[in-house]
Amino acid sequence: MLSEPTLTSRAEDGRDVPLLVWRADGPLRAVSTGPLGGGIGVRHWVLNATVPMSYDREDPARHLAELAADLDLDGPGVGLLTGVDVAEVLTRTDTGIRAWATVGLGTPVLAAAPTPAALAQRVGTVNIVVYVPARLGDAALVNAVATATEAKTQAIMELGLTATGTPTDAVTVLCPVDGPEAAYGGPRSTWGAPLARAVHAAVLAGGARPVVPWSDRPTG
């Protein structure tokens, strides 16, 4: 089982920078597109870290590993970055699925549109974390990422944006390591359908609120 996330912070440049941490009560199967712990494997935690919009480190995986060590997170995990205040995480549930999303749509793009010469912002980001209470096979895990992405895109378009996401979005899906294996994760499968609904609802709710990048907020 994956716990509800805990909000904490780190001191950086005289400010308390928020971090969101999910801890599992045992090993979980996971698939992720995150910079730390990406791919398919067994994971024990997920970290979603707020960073300033000026973030320009070329080693995000190492940075996230350092943050995880500071939090005493043991074993392999997943690390994500966002310019959004992770305290604004949105949670939605559907038929045992839990989906969490931090939604920053400051740099909306169409995936297949021509690449601009430069992006005005490097970190906007929609980060999605999903827990499925049934063991998914490898193909089903990969399909679940596609389903979550399709649901995210549906929500973004319903928000009135001609976009499929932002350049830095990430998806993480976790499930138990034991139990009967579900073979499918598509949007009409037993687990893919509620996953799609939960992700869609979380992204729609998050995108409907005005979001100011954390680093653009006044201090003090």
Side-chain angles (χ1 to χ4, degrees), residues 113-198:
T115 304
L119 291 172
Q121 299 175 335
R122 292 191 60 185
V123 184
T125 309
V126 179
N127 281 340
I128 296 167
V129 177
V130 180
Y131 176 74
V132 179
R135 185 174 185 267
L136 301 180
D138 284 357
L141 278 172
V142 174
N143 206 353
V145 171
T147 297
T149 302
E150 291 169 8
K152 174 198 72 176
T153 298
Q154 180 182 338
I156 290 171
M157 290 187 168
E158 289 176 9
L159 290 165
L161 296 173
T162 305
T164 54
T166 85
T168 51
D169 294 351
V171 178
T172 300
V173 180
L174 305 105
C175 68
V177 297
D178 299 316
E181 185 174 278
Y184 305 108
R188 291 298 175 265
S189 66
T190 299
W191 294 108
L195 182 154
R197 293 192 296 265

Side-chain angles (χ1 to χ4, degrees), residues 4 60 66 136 144 187:
E4 287 297 313
E66 293 167 353
L136 301 180

Side-chain angles (χ1 to χ4, degrees), residues 7 13 29 64 66-67 72 75 92 94 118 124 130 142 164-165 186 195 213:
L7 182 66
D13 296 328
R29 280 173 53 77
L64 284 160
E66 293 167 353
L67 296 177
D72 296 323
R92 294 294 184 269
D94 194 306
V130 180
V142 174
T164 54
L195 182 154

